[in-house]
Amino acid sequence: VQLQASGGGLVQAGGSLRLSCAASGISFSIYAMAWFRQAPGKEREFVSTIGPGRSTSYADFVKGRFTISRDNAKNTVYLQMNSLKPEDTAVYYCAASFRNMILTAAGYSSWGQGTLVTVSS
């Protein structure tokens, strides 16, 4: 299983970014996909997940600002991030699980390499 995250960068507060995660080596359409993030000195935390049936879940701190989506034809999951805040600065990781609606990092066995998002004030 390979997960390749991209789309991170430097953005001003209030700006937007779209992260992408391309998967290979799995039957993408039957996997739940998720985004986690890890800020310096902090533990990895759940951001959002989308199931095979496109059900979604979000952490409270991103509700209304971030949107997760998936394109099964492209084996890709996206995270559209709007109204970014400096506290959103972190390395964002994508992950895959055969189980749906898992909100903890321990529930995911496949991880991408991470993409850095920096939000300046």
Side-chain angles (χ1 to χ4, degrees), residues 14-100:
S16 299
L17 283 174
R18 188 176 82 154
L19 306 184
S20 300
C21 175
S24 60
I26 60 172
S27 297
F28 181 80
S29 64
I30 64 173
Y31 272 74
M33 301 297 296
W35 290 95
F36 287 76
R37 71 185 188 185
Q38 188 166 18
K42 295 187 176 181
E43 293 188 353
R44 194 168 297 190
E45 61 182 357
F46 169 77
V47 175
S48 183
T49 185
I50 184 167
R54 303 182 189 275
S55 57
T56 59
S57 181
Y58 295 92
D60 286 343
F61 53 77
V62 303
K63 283 182 180 177
R65 300 189 298 125
F66 292 8
T67 302
I68 192 170
S69 61
R70 65 190 297 158
D71 185 338
N72 289 340
K74 295 182 179 180
N75 286 4
T76 301
V77 61
Y78 304 97
L79 186 68
Q80 177 66 44
M81 305 187 296
N82 299 328
S83 302
L84 283 161
K85 305 175 182 179
E87 51 264 43
D88 293 320
T89 295
V91 177
Y92 283 72
Y93 297 89
C94 60
S97 174
F98 198 63
R99 297 189 295 164
N100 197 20

